[in-house]
């Protein structure tokens, strides 16, 4: 596939925009009026904002384990004028405090790798159980992931490998996610791939790697190798191919089965 490098002009704000990726995906969600929606691992709240733009009557709760992200999410949501419709609280996705059957929809935009980073594969499995518990009957679980076997270009494959190596921010295979859905009473309805057509230059990749090596220990308490160690392992390939930056993602839409 043909990917273009992110320009130096685009790069400083690129993650917040992702070439319109969040907006495209939000518009494809089965959102209905008056829904109560939970955004797992909300990060800076970018995806919650895009969902709020799609339907004026939905109410959204965002959760994240990192206080740093909660603070930034609240600022971002207020900046967009949605602080009356989106609330954000600090909470562990593997052990949520919401009552059973609280939400019509649960969403997650590229946060499952972070849950894997802090809680491992078992934590991802627990999160799926929790999602099933808090969803109303026929409620939807819509998550965006980057299964390794779905990555097409060398740049995309490198992105998966690099961040898994740095801090265990690992994407599972589509089959593993699908098995977790089935085990927790969630039926996969559809999968759809999306592309931004963009990738990081080697210099931009260095910045992303340096940021992760420096900040993951501070924010999440996860040890990381040094930048030099990471670059020694992957640098030559990044210099040749660039590195993906969410340039291909896959949306999974599942629905909670109704008990007979």
């Amino acid at each position: 596939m043909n990917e273009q490098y992110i320009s130096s002009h685009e790069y400083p704000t690129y993650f917040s925009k992702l070439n319109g990726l969040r907006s495209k995906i939000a518009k494809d969600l089965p959102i209905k009026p008056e829904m109560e929606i939970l955004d797992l691992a909300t990060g800076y709240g970018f995806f919650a904002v895009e969902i709020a733009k799609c339907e004026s009557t939905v109410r959204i709760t965002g959760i994240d384990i990192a206080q740093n992200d909660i603070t930034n999410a609240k600022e971002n949501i207020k900046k967009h004028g949605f602080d009356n419709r989106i609330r954000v609280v600090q909470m562990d996705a593997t052990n949520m405090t919401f009552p059973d059957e609280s939400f019509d929809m649960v969403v997650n935009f590229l946060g499952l790798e972070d849950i894997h980073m802090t809680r491992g594969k078992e934590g991802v499995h627990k999160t799926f159980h929790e999602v099933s518990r808090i969803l109303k009957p026929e409620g939807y679980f819509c998550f965006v992931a980057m299964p390794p076997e779905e990555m097409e270009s060398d740049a995309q494959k490198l992105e998966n490998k690099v961040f898994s190596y740095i801090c265990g921010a690992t994407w599972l295979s589509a089959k593993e996610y699908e098995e977790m859905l089935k085990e927790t009473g969630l039926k996969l309805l559809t999968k759809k791939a999306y592309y931004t057509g963009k990738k990081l230059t080697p210099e931009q990749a260095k910045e992303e790697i340096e940021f992760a090596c420096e900040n993951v220990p501070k924010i999440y308490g996860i040890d990381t190798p040094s930048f030099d160690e990471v670059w020694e392992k992957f640098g030559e390939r990044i210099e040749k191919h660039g590195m993906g930056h969410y340039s291909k993602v896959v949306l999974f839409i599942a629905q909670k089965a109704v008990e007979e």
Side-chain angles (χ1 to χ4, degrees), residues 40 93-94 96 112 115 122-131:
L40 287 177
T94 68
M96 291 184 271
L112 294 180
I115 293 172
E122 181 57 30
V124 178
H125 201 176
K126 286 180 179 178
T127 298
F128 277 52
H129 275 285
E130 282 290 271
V131 168

Side-chain angles (χ1 to χ4, degrees), residues 1-5 146 151-163 197-202 205 234 237-248:
M1 62 177 297
N2 184 28
E3 295 166 305
Q4 296 181 336
Y5 284 116
M146 293 168 54
M151 299 300 99
E152 299 173 26
S153 70
D154 290 312
Q156 291 167 6
K157 293 171 184 176
L158 274 168
E159 179 184 10
N160 267 22
K161 291 175 181 176
V162 166
F163 291 99
K198 299 281 190 173
K199 63 181 177 180
L200 296 168
T201 68
F234 297 103
R237 282 176 281 172
I238 293 173
E239 292 280 4
K240 182 177 180 181
H241 303 292
M243 189 172 77
H245 199 43
Y246 313 109
S247 50
K248 179 185 177 182

Side-chain angles (χ1 to χ4, degrees), residues 99-233:
D100 295 354
E101 301 183 0
S102 296
F103 294 94
D104 302 291
M105 179 183 289
V106 177
V107 300
N108 176 269
F109 183 84
L110 299 171
L112 294 180
E113 67 164 353
D114 293 328
I115 293 172
H116 190 285
M117 174 178 66
T118 59
R119 298 293 183 264
K121 182 177 178 179
E122 181 57 30
V124 178
H125 201 176
K126 286 180 179 178
T127 298
F128 277 52
H129 275 285
E130 282 290 271
V131 168
S132 182
R133 179 183 68 79
I134 65 173
L135 270 178
K136 297 176 184 177
E138 298 187 318
Y140 295 96
F141 181 28
C142 308
F143 64 94
V144 180
M146 293 168 54
E149 75 280 7
E150 292 275 357
M151 299 300 99
E152 299 173 26
S153 70
D154 290 312
Q156 291 167 6
K157 293 171 184 176
L158 274 168
E159 179 184 10
N160 267 22
K161 291 175 181 176
V162 166
F163 291 99
S164 182
Y165 178 78
I166 290 174
C167 54
T170 301
W171 294 107
L172 304 177
S173 69
K175 182 179 179 181
E176 288 174 292
Y177 289 129
E178 289 167 25
E179 287 174 350
M180 288 182 185
L181 288 172
K182 187 175 181 179
E183 289 172 15
T184 54
L186 299 164
K187 181 181 180 181
L188 180 65
L189 301 181
T190 186
K191 287 192 299 183
K192 182 178 178 181
Y194 298 79
Y195 300 83
T196 66
K198 299 281 190 173
K199 63 181 177 180
L200 296 168
T201 68
E203 286 304 312
Q204 293 163 356
K206 285 181 180 180
E207 286 194 39
E208 297 295 325
I209 293 168
E210 287 175 337
F211 181 86
C213 291
E214 180 180 345
N215 288 281
V216 166
K218 295 177 184 177
I219 297 172
Y220 298 103
I222 304 292
D223 291 334
T224 63
S226 68
F227 167 80
D228 289 340
E229 182 181 333
V230 178
W231 197 253
E232 182 178 354
K233 186 174 180 66

Side-chain angles (χ1 to χ4, degrees), residues 2-105:
N2 184 28
E3 295 166 305
Q4 296 181 336
Y5 284 116
I6 298 166
S7 71
S8 57
H9 175 73
E10 292 175 294
Y11 177 61
T13 59
Y14 185 76
F15 178 71
S16 66
K17 299 176 181 178
L18 286 182
N19 218 18
L21 182 67
R22 295 183 187 87
S23 175
K24 291 175 188 174
I25 293 174
K27 289 173 182 175
D28 283 347
L29 300 180
I31 299 170
K32 299 173 185 176
E34 308 291 341
M35 271 186 162
E36 290 284 342
I37 299 175
L38 175 68
D39 182 20
L40 287 177
T42 193
Y44 285 17
F46 294 126
F47 195 47
V49 166
E50 292 302 330
I51 292 172
K53 291 177 182 177
C54 291
E55 171 53 57
S56 62
T57 63
V58 299
R59 301 192 68 84
I60 304 167
T61 300
I63 67 167
D64 204 284
I65 198 171
Q67 184 57 53
N68 177 73
D69 286 355
I70 295 294
T71 300
N72 283 292
K74 288 180 177 178
E75 291 177 0
N76 182 46
I77 290 162
K78 186 174 182 179
K79 181 179 74 175
H80 284 87
F82 289 124
D83 46 321
N84 62 329
R85 292 174 48 210
I86 306 173
R87 71 182 182 111
V88 184
V89 295
Q90 189 172 20
M91 193 180 296
D92 187 339
T94 68
N95 185 26
M96 291 184 271
T97 58
F98 303 114
D100 295 354
E101 301 183 0
S102 296
F103 294 94
D104 302 291
M105 179 183 289

